[in-house]
Amino acid sequence: MADELLKAREVADILKVHIRTLYHWRVIGKPPKAVKVNGRYYYPRSELDKYINAKDDNAN
């Protein structure tokens, strides 16, 4: 099954960060990782889930 690809706006809303913050993270290589498809960047759901889980683990 193919991984769901999310747009930057969707990911920014989920993480409650400004979209420019998300763009900055992509440029500097901070997770969640984005993939380029037909010239546009998307965020695989699995990468977002890994990022959220790691963030939750570090908060405890």
Side-chain angles (χ1 to χ4, degrees), residues 27-52:
V27 169
I28 65 172
K30 182 177 176 180
K33 283 186 181 178
V35 295
K36 196 171 187 178
V37 179
N38 295 327
R40 294 181 183 264
Y41 286 96
Y42 295 93
Y43 293 82
R45 171 63 78 174
S46 61
E47 287 294 326
L48 180 60
D49 291 343
K50 279 195 294 189
Y51 174 75
I52 292 170

Side-chain angles (χ1 to χ4, degrees), residues 7-18:
K7 294 179 181 179
R9 171 58 58 203
E10 295 171 305
V11 175
D13 289 345
I14 291 168
L15 297 178
K16 296 180 173 55
V17 298
H18 195 279

